[in-house]
Amino acid sequence: MSIALVSTATSTAAPAKPLTADGVSAAAVDLTDAAKKEIAMKLVSSAENSSLDWKAQYSYIEDIDDGRGYTAGIIGFCSGTHDMLELVTEYTKRSPNNVLKKYLPALRNVDGSDSHAGLDPNYTKDWKTAAKDQVFKDSQNYERDRVYFNPAVNQGKSDGVRTLGQFIYYDAIVMHGDGDDSTSFRNIRKRALSKAKPPAQGGNETTWLHAFLDARVWAMKQEEAHSDTSRVDTAQRVFLKAGNLDLTTPLKWKVYGESFSINS
């Protein structure tokens, strides 16, 4: 459920190995590990969809009245923030005669707004139809990784943070995007840098992540739609305070007052 994005496809600088606060190389397992990535998807789904069943969200679509038009899919692609347009474009490259192709002109026109012009009345129905197609699911996975997951993990590795830190970055990019506005991921990180240093720059990992989360909370409070900061306060901050920097199960957290757990 991001705000306006810029392309992150070129952000591929070779990342440094994660370091502990003492400058020692951390464990090789990071958020790209299949089990850790599954945890990350469940954590995001708990906040975005009030469910751990993230694979059930390929067909999800609604307007949640946050000024971003339709929000849909496993990561909250939005018709008003360019990423839904990029997703349907990718899907059409892979499946040229898909049911959503006819909406590409409308998606270009509503990009940057909350308008449904050219999408109603059948877009939501057609989205759900497309979600039965494995090619569409694969397209969602691809765009999730290209725009959100991979940039978050790469920046996390460059900053020397472990699995929890990489997830904290990922969740921030999912919500805020990585554009040029003051509440984007890059500017949340910039705000945190004024208070602390990441491990790769000689800082303490826990101190750095608390600074990042402080900056994230500030960004969330700038917009009414994101002003409930429980996905930080009663989830990510809980793991951080427990010293669970490798995001090791079992995990227990709350989002918007609802309790969740992952046992293994």
Side-chain angles (χ1 to χ4, degrees):
M1 189 170 65
S2 70
I3 57 179
L5 301 170
V6 296
S7 175
T8 53
T10 57
S11 300
T12 56
K17 290 184 178 180
L19 303 175
T20 66
D22 298 323
V24 179
S25 293
V29 172
D30 57 41
L31 205 63
T32 62
D33 173 79
K36 298 296 186 183
K37 190 171 185 178
E38 180 72 12
I39 290 171
M41 290 304 298
K42 288 180 176 180
L43 288 168
V44 169
S45 186
S46 74
E48 296 285 329
N49 303 101
S50 300
S51 169
L52 297 185
D53 188 5
W54 68 270
K55 292 180 181 178
Q57 310 310 322
Y58 289 108
S59 62
Y60 164 75
I61 181 167
E62 67 175 324
D63 190 325
I64 59 175
D65 296 321
D66 64 349
R68 294 174 172 82
Y70 282 118
T71 296
I74 59 171
I75 211 66
F77 301 99
C78 295
S79 59
T81 65
H82 195 62
D83 55 350
M84 184 178 285
L85 170 60
E86 290 189 326
L87 168 61
V88 177
T89 299
E90 178 64 27
Y91 181 33
T92 301
K93 289 179 182 178
R94 297 174 181 228
S95 179
N97 297 315
N98 74 78
V99 70
L100 297 180
K101 178 182 179 179
K102 60 181 176 287
Y103 296 104
L104 281 171
L107 287 169
R108 294 187 189 100
N109 289 334
V110 303
D111 194 17
S113 77
D114 63 356
S115 174
H116 294 181
L119 299 176
D120 292 340
N122 294 319
Y123 185 63
T124 57
K125 175 176 67 69
D126 288 340
W127 180 282
K128 292 177 185 295
T129 297
K132 299 175 184 178
D133 180 5
Q134 186 60 46
V135 178
F136 188 47
K137 294 177 182 179
D138 292 343
S139 298
Q140 289 196 39
N141 294 340
Y142 173 80
E143 286 297 301
R144 171 202 62 200
D145 290 349
R146 183 183 71 85
V147 181
Y148 302 103
F149 188 83
N150 293 342
V153 171
N154 287 342
Q155 185 63 64
K157 289 181 177 180
S158 292
D159 283 343
V161 298
R162 285 175 273 175
T163 311
L164 174 60
Q166 293 165 26
F167 171 72
I168 286 172
Y169 285 10
Y170 174 50
D171 191 68
I173 294 183
V174 166
M175 175 175 280
H176 302 281
D178 196 23
D180 295 324
D181 53 283
S182 64
T183 60
S184 69
F185 170 75
R186 68 184 63 187
N187 284 313
I188 291 172
R189 182 176 173 276
K190 183 177 180 181
R191 190 178 185 89
L193 282 168
S194 70
K195 302 294 184 181
K197 292 181 180 180
Q201 296 180 27
N204 176 275
E205 185 170 6
T206 299
T207 300
W208 163 249
L209 291 176
H210 274 300
F212 184 89
L213 289 178
D214 289 344
R216 168 86 189 277
V217 167
W218 174 86
M220 291 173 74
K221 289 183 175 179
Q222 303 311 301
E223 184 179 2
E224 179 60 32
H226 292 156
S227 60
D228 185 326
T229 59
S230 63
R231 68 197 289 163
V232 169
D233 303 331
T234 57
Q236 296 168 41
R237 193 89 75 173
V238 171
F239 307 147
L240 183 56
K241 288 179 177 178
N244 192 353
L245 295 172
D246 293 312
L247 204 59
T248 302
T249 56
L251 297 169
K252 294 182 178 181
W253 72 98
K254 292 183 179 180
V255 181
Y256 310 133
E258 188 173 357
S259 296
F260 296 93
S261 63
I262 300 174
N263 294 321
S264 61

